[in-house]
Amino acid sequence: MNTFDRRSQIIRHLQEHHRLSTRALSDVFQVSEVTIRSDLSSLEEQGWVQRVHGGAELAPRWRLEQSFADRQTEHRAEKEMLAQTAAALVRPGDTLVLDGSTSAFQLALRLREMADLRVVTNNLQVALALAANPAIEVMVPGGVVRGHTASVVGSGVSELLGDLHADRGFFGASGLTAERGLTDADVREVEAKRAMVRAVGEVVALLDASKFGQQAYLTFARLDQVHRIITDDALSPEFRALCQERNIEIIIAKSEP
């Protein structure tokens, strides 16, 4: 395991256990306590953890995750514009996967009048937006409901998606970089997104331009797994060139008339 991946897994363990000792982390990763202390110092400098006597815990900013309602207000105009463009890719008869992002929720609002769709989602708000239409079949995996984010997480997500093949999936993300692809911060959400990526024929990312160059610590899709990105016209030439190099189609969303 390389240094970056080990540090990613340290964050994952802290998300699950809240606080861990240096010795415990040394045992988990089979490296010296000196190495773990170096990892924790680096993660502290980046704002991910704070050191406590004998170990570390997640920094407060990552313990206080934004609610689904609060996230809806961020870049709302851009999300609505991306969702309008994404909806044009959907055809009757499609089987879709929508993740737990607020971008996917905005897309659901634009799909709820369509007919003959099958949608798998781990977000209860997305499911409720679509389920009122009897012409849309909505599937929600079993698992633990995270009330703060309205998402269902756990092994049930992977179990349902393991036997499913969907035409395409729509995903939000905390950020995108050349090195790490699409990333997010919470390990439970990331595990659900990874299962969704494996289940779809086409991965479509819904990212406003501010997300490019940003990086959370956990990858859920490498760039070679991404087929299309829907973004806005503020995307930099650098990232346009990167996507062209990686054979990712860029779709620039336009404002609704």
Side-chain angles (χ1 to χ4, degrees), residues 35-160:
T35 298
I36 292 296
R37 290 191 189 98
S38 175
D39 290 337
L40 295 178
S41 294
S42 177
L43 292 172
E44 185 175 43
E45 289 176 4
Q46 296 174 53
W48 281 96
V49 309
Q50 62 182 24
R51 303 294 292 276
V52 297
H53 180 68
E57 62 186 15
L58 278 182
R61 62 176 293 200
W62 299 112
R63 284 180 259 148
L64 299 174
E65 186 178 10
Q66 281 186 301
S67 70
F68 189 82
D70 287 341
R71 284 189 288 123
Q72 284 192 66
T73 64
E74 293 186 343
H75 299 282
R76 182 168 187 139
E78 290 89 343
K79 290 175 183 177
E80 291 175 349
M81 186 169 64
L82 303 186
Q84 182 71 21
T85 300
L89 300 177
V90 179
R91 298 289 181 268
D94 280 353
T95 299
L96 309 174
V97 168
L98 273 63
D99 74 354
S101 65
T102 52
S103 295
F105 175 70
Q106 288 296 329
L107 174 57
L109 296 180
R110 283 152 182 80
L111 297 179
R112 58 185 172 179
E113 302 302 323
M114 290 188 67
D116 191 21
L117 292 180
R118 282 156 296 285
V119 179
V120 180
T121 183
N122 71 321
N123 186 275
L124 299 181
Q125 296 284 3
V126 171
L128 289 172
L130 296 170
N133 182 349
I136 300 176
E137 179 181 328
V138 181
M139 291 172 277
V140 178
V144 177
V145 177
R146 301 184 67 217
H148 202 55
T149 62
S151 291
V152 179
V153 296
S155 60
V157 179
S158 296
E159 289 171 4
L160 173 63

Side-chain angles (χ1 to χ4, degrees), residues 26 31 73 93 108-109 139 141 154 175 178 182 194 200 205 245 250 253:
S26 174
V31 295
T73 64
L109 296 180
M139 291 172 277
L182 295 174
R194 286 173 178 167
V200 302
E245 175 188 327
I250 290 290

Side-chain angles (χ1 to χ4, degrees), residues 210-253:
S210 72
K211 299 291 183 66
F212 288 79
Q214 300 300 310
Q215 178 176 275
Y217 231 83
L218 297 169
T219 296
F220 68 87
R222 305 181 310 274
L223 286 190
D224 62 9
Q225 295 176 291
V226 179
H227 300 85
R228 294 177 176 178
I229 298 175
I230 300 175
T231 187
D232 57 73
D233 59 9
L235 182 64
S236 71
E238 171 193 356
F239 280 104
R240 288 177 191 255
L242 171 66
C243 292
Q244 183 176 12
E245 175 188 327
R246 300 297 180 89
N247 295 315
I248 300 170
E249 181 184 359
I250 290 290
I251 302 175
I252 301 299

